Every structure is written in structure tokens, then in C-alpha cells.
């Protein structure tokens, strides 16, 4: 089965039907934003803590210093040191599929928690490009994987051009593709007016495929509703799995990466 799943920074295109997610308009109250991940790869555990910014502000990271950040699994607690402003990382742990991880972050006397269970990986079989699908503004590359029929699966695809992470990403589930061999198109594009950012022959395209739990999928999917379709629509907050009033998400997930070079 072939399908194209595309979740841009503020828009979503899914071939399969999805339930409509109703989001409440976001308040202008200053909030903390927590983005935490732990993967099955050694040394890949980090938590970013920042403060909210106005919707139309630039994307500069507004890091929060001095937080106490811990991750717990089966009674073992690891504290993440602050390695740069608002960034907390550790190489002391890596995740195991099937295990549940609990994040606790204490920031200026406020405590936020989140729980995520690492799903079993679904092998990423191939990542390829059809010559006709190359374009300097919009190139479609394809991932190939065999969905597992035993459990409900949720996927998150992060995109990179020349090892630089792109703002757009893709999410998918197997509601209509359980157990099938999937070939899905991922869209790499330059939506800016800067022609220097056009996709060029010889560029490296990469994808990271993550198997995520349902709460993380819901957050990433609902992020598409962070702003209404009209210019006058009020922004709305995506559905977070973090308790305590912070925005963001915490994800324990498996990860696989493949790359290709656009032929010259």
C-alpha cells in the first residue's frame, strides 16, 4: 500500500481518516515547555526546558536554567545534568522496548511529570528516491516498512537535509494498514523565499523512524491544530502527556535512521 503522510509545522495531510481532535484556544499565560526523549540507542536521552513565546515570535530556544530533571525506570532514578542553557542530557541510560519511563522535572518550585512506554521497533526496510520525484522545492522520498499485526502501531518520522533537522515531520498509525507492507512518501521541501535553501542534487536526505506510544502520537498529531486555518484563528495548545501544566511531551521510543544521496 502506498500513502503520503505529512505533518508540517502547522498543517497535516493524512490519507487515512482520523478522528477530529478539538483543541481549546491557547491562553497567553506564560508556561514552561518540556520536550524529553529517551531512545533505545546508547547515550540518547535528553530533556529540553524552555518558556512559551508569542506564536509569531522567532524559533530561538528560550532555555530555562536550574531545573532538577530525573528519569525513573524500575526503581532506578537517574538525574540529568544541565549541559547547556535549558538542555539536560545523560549518557547513563538508554531505553529498552517494553519498559516504561517516568520523567519528573522540578522548575522553580513547580513539578511536572510524564510517563511513556517504549514500543517494540518495526524495522525500517528501505529509504529510497524515485528520479521523477526530485524537485528543488519539493522532493518526495519513500520509506518502506512492514507493519506488525500483533499490536497497534504509531510512527513518527523526523526529516533531515544534510544532517539538519527539518521543521516538518510525519506521523502515521496502522488503523487501516495493520500487518501490511507500507511504502510511504515523505516530503522534503523549501517553503522559504531563500533559494539558497533549495534542495540540490548531491544533497543528503535522511529519515529517523520512531515507534512511539499513543500519547506521543496524539501530541504530534494534535500539534497540527496549534493554529486554526484562518489568519484570525486563535492558536491552541496540542494535547500534552505532561501533567502539572507544562506544554510539550515526553517520549520513550525506538529509533532507526537511513539516508540517501540525491543523484547528480
Amino acid at each position: 500500500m502506498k500513502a503520503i503522510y505529512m505533518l508540517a509545522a502547522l498543517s497535516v495531510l493524512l490519507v487515512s481518516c482520523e478522528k477530529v481532535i478539538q483543541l481549546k484556544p491557547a491562553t497567553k499565560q506564560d508556561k514552561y515547555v518540556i520536550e524529553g526523549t529517551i531512545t533505545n540507542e546508547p547515550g540518547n536521552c535528553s530533556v529540553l526546558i524552555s518558556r512559551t513565546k508569542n506564536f509569531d515570535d522567532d524559533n530561538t530556544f528560550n532555555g530555562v536554567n536550574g531545573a532538577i530533571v530525573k528519569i525513573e525506570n524500575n526503581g532506578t532514578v537517574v538525574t540529568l545534568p544541565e549541559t547547556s542553557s535549558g538542555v539536560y542530557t545523560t549518557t547513563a541510560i538508554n531505553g529498552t522496548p517494553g519498559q516504561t519511563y517516568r520523567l519528573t522535572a522540578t522548575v522553580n518550585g513547580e513539578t511536572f511529570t510524564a510517563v511513556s512506554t517504549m514500543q517494540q521497533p518495526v524495522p525500517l526496510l528501505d529509504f529510497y528516491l524515485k528520479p521523477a520525484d526530485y524537485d528543488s522545492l519539493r522532493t518526495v522520498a519513500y520509506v518502506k516498512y512492514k507493519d506488525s499485526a500483533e499490536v497497534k502501531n504509531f510512527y513518527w518520522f523526523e526529516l533531515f537535509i544534510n544532517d539538519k533537522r527539518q521543521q516538518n515531520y510525519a506521523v502515521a498509525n496502522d488503523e487501516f494498514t495493520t500487518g501490511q507492507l507500507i511504502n510511504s512518501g515523505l516530503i522534503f521541501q523549501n517553503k522559504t523565499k531563500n533559494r539558497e535553501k533549495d534542495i540540490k542534487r548531491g544533497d543528503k536526505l535522511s529519515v529517523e523512524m520512531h515507534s512511539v506510544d499513543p500519547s506521543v502520537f496524539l501530541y504530534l498529531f494534535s500539534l497540527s491544530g496549534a493554529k486554526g486555518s484562518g489568519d484570525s484563528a486563535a492558536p491552541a495548545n496540542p494535547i500534552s502527556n505532561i501533567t502539572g501544566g507544562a506544554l510539550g511531551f515526553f517520549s520513550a521510543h525506538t529509533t532507526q535512521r537511513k539516508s540517501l544521496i540525491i543523484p547528480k
Side-chain angles (χ1 to χ4, degrees):
M1 175 178 181
K2 178 188 292 186
I4 291 182
Y5 301 86
M6 190 63 201
L7 179 59
L10 294 170
S11 63
V12 65
L13 169 63
L14 290 178
V15 170
S16 60
C17 297
E18 296 288 349
K19 296 181 177 66
V20 175
I21 299 172
Q22 298 294 337
L23 297 176
K24 296 180 180 179
T27 66
K28 293 186 178 180
Q29 181 182 0
D30 186 29
K31 287 180 175 290
Y32 292 111
V33 180
I34 300 174
E35 299 178 4
T37 58
I38 179 172
T39 80
N40 57 327
E41 294 185 336
N44 197 343
C45 177
S46 66
V47 177
L48 281 62
I49 302 178
S50 60
R51 285 188 178 274
T52 53
K53 304 177 74 174
N54 291 329
F55 190 83
D56 294 324
D57 284 351
D58 60 51
N59 291 323
T60 304
F61 181 66
N62 187 18
V64 174
N65 300 318
I68 300 173
V69 180
K70 299 179 179 180
I71 291 182
E72 178 182 356
N73 168 250
N74 288 335
T76 299
V77 180
V78 175
T79 300
L80 281 62
E82 187 173 7
T83 54
S84 61
S85 180
V87 179
Y88 304 79
T89 62
T90 183
T91 59
I93 54 175
N94 60 281
T96 302
Q99 295 289 306
T100 297
Y101 298 85
R102 178 182 179 87
L103 167 69
T104 302
T106 302
V107 190
N108 295 325
E110 297 185 63
T111 298
F112 309 98
T113 62
V115 175
S116 182
T117 299
M118 185 172 291
Q119 306 299 296
Q120 296 295 329
V122 173
L124 175 57
L125 301 177
D126 199 6
F127 178 54
Y128 60 95
L129 175 69
K130 299 176 182 178
D133 289 327
Y134 163 74
D135 183 86
S136 60
L137 296 180
R138 184 181 184 276
T139 293
V140 180
Y142 297 84
V143 288
K144 180 180 179 180
Y145 59 95
K146 178 69 163 60
D147 183 78
S148 171
E150 287 73 26
V151 296
K152 184 75 175 177
N153 294 291
F154 302 88
Y155 305 103
W156 170 25
F157 300 94
E158 291 190 274
L159 311 181
F160 302 78
I161 299 177
N162 296 324
D163 295 324
K164 182 178 180 180
R165 180 180 281 106
Q166 303 300 291
Q167 288 188 343
N168 62 297
Y169 55 87
V171 291
N173 63 31
D174 63 354
E175 184 172 358
F176 301 105
T177 58
T178 300
Q180 296 184 27
L181 183 65
I182 311 298
N183 286 273
S184 294
L186 302 174
I187 301 174
F188 295 78
Q189 58 187 333
N190 177 18
K191 299 179 70 174
T192 73
K193 295 181 180 180
N194 184 355
R195 297 282 69 87
E196 292 184 359
K197 294 185 178 181
D198 286 356
I199 303 168
K200 304 174 182 64
R201 294 190 180 276
D203 280 351
K204 180 169 75 169
L205 306 182
S206 302
V207 60
E208 285 188 2
M209 174 180 174
H210 311 304
S211 293
V212 300
D213 70 16
S215 67
V216 174
F217 172 84
L218 180 61
Y219 170 82
L220 294 168
F221 183 80
S222 67
L223 188 61
S224 65
K227 185 176 182 180
S229 58
D231 292 337
S232 62
N237 294 328
I239 302 171
S240 175
N241 65 345
I242 297 175
T243 63
L247 305 177
F249 72 107
F250 171 59
S251 177
H253 57 253
T254 58
T255 186
Q256 301 163 77
R257 184 182 179 107
K258 284 187 180 294
S259 300
L260 61 84
I261 303 296
I262 301 175
K264 292 185 177 181

